[in-house]
Amino acid sequence: MINNEDDHMTTLLVAKQYIKNFISKYEVYLKPLMKLILALMTLMMINGKIGYMHRLDNISIVLIVSLMCSFMPMNFIIFIAALFTVLHLYELSLECAVIALVLFLVMFLLYFRLSPKDTLVVLLTPICFVLKIPYVIPLTMGLVGTPASAVSVGCGVMVSYLLNYISDNATTLSGMDTEELVARFRSVIDGFLDNKDMALTIVAFGITIVLVYMIKRMSVNYAWTIAIIAGAIADVMILLIGDLMFDTNVSIVGIIIGTVVSVLVAKVVEFFIFHVDYNRTEKVQFEDDEYYYYVKAVPKITVATPSKTVKRINTSKRRPSGSQSRR
């Protein structure tokens, strides 16, 4: 039984090494492809939620813009996504477009000031909300990011709830009289900012990111696994307690299923980034003129990919010894 488990683990490690080698070898091609797919998913999600401007809700336009994004920096995708959103909302109502534009400007200032390297999470958060697994974002960002990543995650959460609010209230917002300009502004702002579910989600995700980050940096065995489980439990507890206090009407079944899937995804991330052998942990002590040092060394688990050996077989037949060429 133990041998079978070791064989399975070895197979997984070899597959992991193959994947890492493949990514490293073809990185120059995979990066544009990844940006193309990410831009395509983002723009299609925006068009599916708030596709009010029919000229933008066109697969040809989406493909052309996504191809352009694949050769541009990652932050350019955020700019294009914000532009698509504002243009769609302008087709719905001027007030929605102005509020979205101001919101994006504030988020961009916070994002570029505090966590400019978390471009991917700003785009993936709304996508994960659409896929019903948003809880994977705080868990993974706690593992691979920093506490400042809570800003980027919060921006992604706000964008998700903004799109949902506009989509759910499009008929009401477009049906208001144009003369009631102040009333329309107030209606959109109050409806968006008074969303207790959004505020609770931002707080829960922020606390989860900080908690996972702090635990995974501890020098205890299986710190990353403990961090994932503790972060998932904390996230669920905060959301459920908030639901009892503020009556946010969250789906308990959805939270549990989404959290379980998120834990599995976080474990995959751990396997590729932080896979060590705690059974071979070593504790080292040394000193210099000023300090004593106590070091805990945990070796990484690595395997070499089997090399392919090509054996050449000479198929040419040897001449019989008696056959001599006549002169």
Side-chain angles (χ1 to χ4, degrees), residues 262-276:
S262 300
V263 168
L264 296 177
V265 174
K267 287 296 294 180
V268 173
V269 173
E270 178 192 359
F271 176 75
F272 277 94
I273 297 178
F274 186 83
H275 195 58
V276 296

Side-chain angles (χ1 to χ4, degrees), residues 188-201:
V188 177
I189 294 174
D190 291 345
F192 176 65
L193 296 182
D194 288 345
N195 193 325
K196 296 178 181 179
D197 191 8
M198 179 185 72
L200 177 62
T201 303

Side-chain angles (χ1 to χ4, degrees), residues 82-109:
L83 181 62
F84 263 60
T85 302
V86 172
L87 291 176
H88 279 305
L89 296 183
Y90 176 76
E91 189 73 13
L92 177 67
S93 73
L94 176 63
E95 294 78 13
C96 292
V98 171
I99 292 172
L101 181 61
V102 173
L103 178 64
F104 287 147
L105 290 176
V106 173
M107 288 194 302
F108 285 160
L109 291 175

Side-chain angles (χ1 to χ4, degrees), residues 274-285:
F274 186 83
H275 195 58
V276 296
D277 186 1
Y278 286 104
N279 294 324
R280 295 192 291 124
T281 301
E282 298 180 4
K283 294 184 178 180
V284 184
Q285 176 184 348

Side-chain angles (χ1 to χ4, degrees), residues 10 21 24 27 31 56 73 97 113 170 216 307 315-316:
T10 302
N21 293 341
S24 177
E27 183 179 8
K31 274 189 175 181
L56 294 181
R113 176 68 179 86
K216 67 108 175 183
S307 58
T315 58
S316 60

Side-chain angles (χ1 to χ4, degrees), residues 44-321:
M44 290 181 66
M45 180 201 68
I46 293 172
N47 287 345
K49 279 284 185 181
I50 53 171
Y52 305 117
M53 183 173 284
H54 298 295
R55 285 171 290 182
L56 294 181
D57 191 10
N58 186 306
I59 188 61
S60 300
I61 298 296
V62 171
L63 286 174
I64 292 172
V65 175
S66 299
L67 284 171
M68 182 174 62
C69 290
S70 66
F71 298 100
M72 301 295 288
M74 189 72 78
N75 286 328
F76 185 74
I77 304 178
I78 296 182
F79 171 76
I80 291 296
L83 181 62
F84 263 60
T85 302
V86 172
L87 291 176
H88 279 305
L89 296 183
Y90 176 76
E91 189 73 13
L92 177 67
S93 73
L94 176 63
E95 294 78 13
C96 292
V98 171
I99 292 172
L101 181 61
V102 173
L103 178 64
F104 287 147
L105 290 176
V106 173
M107 288 194 302
F108 285 160
L109 291 175
L110 290 174
Y111 161 70
F112 285 114
R113 176 68 179 86
L114 298 175
S115 53
K117 296 182 180 179
D118 292 337
T119 306
L120 197 60
V121 71
V122 178
L123 298 171
L124 287 180
T125 300
I127 294 175
C128 287
F129 268 95
V130 173
L131 298 176
K132 307 299 182 184
I133 52 169
Y135 317 104
V136 71
I137 296 296
L139 293 180
T140 53
M141 290 311 299
L143 295 176
V144 303
T146 65
S149 301
V151 176
S152 299
V153 174
C155 292
V157 172
M158 294 180 69
V159 171
S160 302
Y161 278 91
L162 174 64
L163 296 179
N164 286 333
Y165 174 78
I166 299 296
S167 177
D168 295 339
N169 298 275
T171 304
T172 303
L173 295 173
S174 61
M176 298 179 68
D177 295 334
T178 55
E179 299 175 356
E180 301 176 355
L181 184 62
V182 177
R184 295 177 71 174
F185 267 111
R186 180 172 296 179
S187 175
V188 177
I189 294 174
D190 291 345
F192 176 65
L193 296 182
D194 288 345
N195 193 325
K196 296 178 181 179
D197 191 8
M198 179 185 72
L200 177 62
T201 303
I202 292 175
V203 172
F205 283 11
I207 294 175
T208 302
I209 290 172
V210 175
L211 180 64
V212 173
Y213 176 80
M214 292 176 62
I215 295 178
K216 67 108 175 183
R217 288 176 59 87
M218 298 174 64
S219 62
V220 298
N221 290 354
Y222 306 101
W224 282 49
T225 301
I226 297 173
I228 293 172
I229 296 174
I233 294 174
D235 194 23
V236 172
M237 293 300 295
I238 294 171
L239 292 174
L240 293 181
I241 293 173
D243 179 46
L244 293 175
M245 294 177 60
F246 304 109
D247 193 20
T248 55
N249 295 322
V250 297
S251 172
I252 298 178
V253 176
I255 290 177
I256 294 175
I257 296 177
T259 301
V260 171
V261 175
S262 300
V263 168
L264 296 177
V265 174
K267 287 296 294 180
V268 173
V269 173
E270 178 192 359
F271 176 75
F272 277 94
I273 297 178
F274 186 83
H275 195 58
V276 296
D277 186 1
Y278 286 104
N279 294 324
R280 295 192 291 124
T281 301
E282 298 180 4
K283 294 184 178 180
V284 184
Q285 176 184 348
F286 56 93
E287 62 178 288
D288 59 16
D289 294 336
E290 298 181 356
Y291 294 98
Y292 284 97
Y293 300 92
Y294 299 90
V295 180
K296 179 180 179 180
V298 184
K300 296 180 180 179
I301 300 178
T302 57
V303 294
T305 55
S307 58
K308 296 181 180 180
T309 302
V310 179
K311 185 177 180 181
R312 296 189 62 181
I313 301 176
N314 190 2
T315 58
S316 60
K317 297 182 179 180
R318 299 180 62 182
R319 294 182 178 180
S321 56

